[in-house]
Amino acid sequence: MIKKRVIFLLLFSWPILALGSPCWKSIFETNERPVSKNHKLLILPFENGSKISQDDWISHLFPVLLQDFLSLAKKTHTFISVADPSPRFFDSSTALEIAKKAGADYVITGKFSRTGQAINISTRFLDVREGIEKRRLTGNVEFPGTRTINDYLALAVEAANDSFPDVHVKKKELLTIRHETLSNEALRYFVLGSIALRRGSLEGVREAVRRFEESIRNDYNFVPAYLGLALSLVRQGFVENMQGENFRPSFTRARLELEKARLMKPALTKKKAEEIEPYLKAETDYQLSEGYLAQGDLKGATREMRKVTEFLPGDLGSHERAFELLTKQGRIREAEYHQRFIENLNSCAGEKR
């Protein structure tokens, strides 16, 4: 009976990658899963009130930077929409409806207009459960440059603290998150790279690498761009490894960019490295597993491969590898644990292949 079950599991799982491209968005999100938090806060793209097309990227500027600030919240997971900006988003009823469909408890939406070197901003803080606007914040910031933008975002975090009881971000913590640059182009490419990366597609990862490289070329001291590039590169290397390509150059570059960021801004790097380092640690354990396997040590190979799946729970290939190693040893119950991951990762949860 056990042998039949093993054969069924193998037949069910192994052809999966051959049937179509993996669900990259689901895989990346599972790999970089946030610590479990009780509440969700959605930030929508800000409406471009001045209707200047060359400023459309600013619609994502405030959400991208504000998400980094609010990532410090202990009980609330903050995520942003990568949808194209729409005037409808600033409407409270529309924003609440979108947030409800996204499973969010709170939503932040905003509108901006630029005149010369000044941007006027209005931000709404909405409670989805109560269906009401809790607060509205308005202000003016200088542009280009991020100094006064950071000041406004700090006020926005205070407003979120007051509006949503589950946020609790301490003001002194924000000093480590401030993104400092005087270059408009460095900031623009950083935002475009951040949005591309958040799309979760293979094309998005490749675009993000190019955008962050361009951001760095415009400001060699802009640390967030180095961190964005490092995350893009480990994702790229991860994909290359799953596709049987040479992934080491991508991982080597990622380590280099992460180290540059750490030397310039260790506090900011420490927070962002939580998403990057699991990929790098998993690579080491993967190589150890292959080494044990070459020596005929199935137990050692299995142990190290299961470490890979702990670092990267979305690594479909490593779950399949662990599944194969366990079934060869007759450890069926343990193999079924990885089988469940394989099934979930291939369901795509509504994602298009």
Side-chain angles (χ1 to χ4, degrees), residues 248-346:
R248 287 188 178 83
S250 294
F251 276 81
T252 299
R253 278 196 65 199
R255 286 190 174 92
L256 179 61
E257 303 305 333
L258 183 61
E259 190 56 32
K260 289 176 185 176
R262 185 175 282 118
L263 289 171
M264 288 188 282
K265 228 174 184 182
L268 175 59
T269 302
K270 182 179 179 181
K271 176 66 179 173
K272 288 293 185 179
E274 294 173 5
E275 296 176 325
I276 301 166
E277 289 182 333
Y279 287 96
L280 302 175
K281 292 175 180 176
E283 181 204 3
T284 300
D285 286 313
Y286 188 90
Q287 297 305 316
L288 285 172
S289 177
E290 292 298 293
Y292 280 118
L293 191 60
Q295 297 171 17
D297 185 350
L298 282 180
K299 287 187 177 180
T302 304
R303 182 182 64 248
E304 297 304 324
M305 190 57 66
R306 297 192 81 179
K307 286 182 183 178
V308 175
T309 63
E310 289 172 8
F311 282 124
L312 299 177
D315 188 342
L316 180 58
S318 293
H319 278 293
E320 291 184 331
R321 193 70 164 147
F323 175 85
E324 179 192 27
L325 292 167
L326 288 164
T327 52
K328 281 182 177 179
Q329 298 167 70
R331 297 160 64 180
I332 306 306
R333 288 187 181 277
E334 294 170 272
E336 286 177 336
Y337 168 82
H338 296 282
Q339 174 67 20
R340 286 192 290 273
F341 269 94
I342 292 168
E343 292 173 4
N344 291 334
L345 290 169
N346 278 282

Side-chain angles (χ1 to χ4, degrees), residues 4 22 28 95 106 126 139 153 172 201 235 279 291 293-294 333:
K4 287 183 179 179
F28 293 142
Y106 316 115
L126 309 173
L153 293 176
K172 64 179 182 180
S201 65
R235 280 194 182 186
Y279 287 96
L293 191 60
R333 288 187 181 277

Side-chain angles (χ1 to χ4, degrees), residues 100-117:
K100 192 177 296 183
K101 289 180 179 178
D105 301 286
Y106 316 115
V107 58
I108 296 175
T109 184
K111 182 177 183 178
F112 73 92
S113 59
R114 182 169 73 88
T115 305
Q117 295 184 325

Side-chain angles (χ1 to χ4, degrees), residues 61-206:
L61 167 65
F62 296 105
V64 165
L65 299 187
L66 185 55
Q67 183 191 26
D68 278 350
F69 275 54
L70 290 171
S71 67
L72 296 170
K74 302 295 187 294
K75 297 181 179 180
T76 303
H77 169 56
T78 303
F79 62 108
I80 66 175
S81 168
V82 296
D84 292 332
S86 168
R88 296 183 302 110
F89 292 163
F90 195 63
D91 175 72
S92 294
S93 58
T94 301
L96 287 167
E97 185 62 29
I98 293 171
K100 192 177 296 183
K101 289 180 179 178
D105 301 286
Y106 316 115
V107 58
I108 296 175
T109 184
K111 182 177 183 178
F112 73 92
S113 59
R114 182 169 73 88
T115 305
Q117 295 184 325
I119 297 178
N120 177 265
I121 319 169
S122 180
T123 308
R124 285 177 166 172
F125 301 80
L126 309 173
D127 189 310
V128 179
R129 292 172 294 186
E130 297 181 21
I132 60 172
E133 179 178 309
K134 301 288 285 190
R135 187 166 174 184
R136 187 179 299 201
L137 177 70
T138 59
N140 292 288
V141 299
E142 299 170 0
F143 189 78
T146 57
R147 183 180 61 83
T148 55
I149 290 176
N150 282 319
D151 293 340
Y152 179 83
L153 293 176
L155 294 174
V157 171
E158 288 185 24
N161 281 338
D162 294 340
S163 304
F164 313 136
D166 309 300
V167 174
H168 299 305
V169 175
K170 296 178 182 178
K171 192 173 182 178
K172 64 179 182 180
E173 292 180 300
L174 300 179
L175 295 175
T176 64
I177 301 295
R178 292 174 69 97
H179 296 349
E180 307 285 1
T181 183
L182 294 174
S183 170
N184 182 53
E185 287 299 277
L187 193 58
R188 183 171 73 88
Y189 281 114
F190 169 75
V191 170
L192 294 175
S194 298
I195 294 301
L197 197 60
R198 282 168 171 82
R199 292 195 186 104
S201 65
L202 186 52
E203 295 74 19
V205 171
R206 291 166 177 159

Side-chain angles (χ1 to χ4, degrees), residues 28-88:
F28 293 142
E29 288 178 352
T30 305
N31 280 343
E32 298 153 27
R33 66 203 183 291
V35 175
S36 181
K37 298 183 179 181
N38 300 328
H39 305 279
K40 292 183 178 180
L41 191 164
L42 171 64
I43 308 177
L44 292 172
F46 282 27
E47 178 188 346
N48 181 357
S50 54
K51 310 299 181 185
I52 302 173
S53 60
Q54 68 187 43
D55 288 345
D56 283 346
W57 68 274
I58 299 175
S59 296
H60 292 294
L61 167 65
F62 296 105
V64 165
L65 299 187
L66 185 55
Q67 183 191 26
D68 278 350
F69 275 54
L70 290 171
S71 67
L72 296 170
K74 302 295 187 294
K75 297 181 179 180
T76 303
H77 169 56
T78 303
F79 62 108
I80 66 175
S81 168
V82 296
D84 292 332
S86 168
R88 296 183 302 110

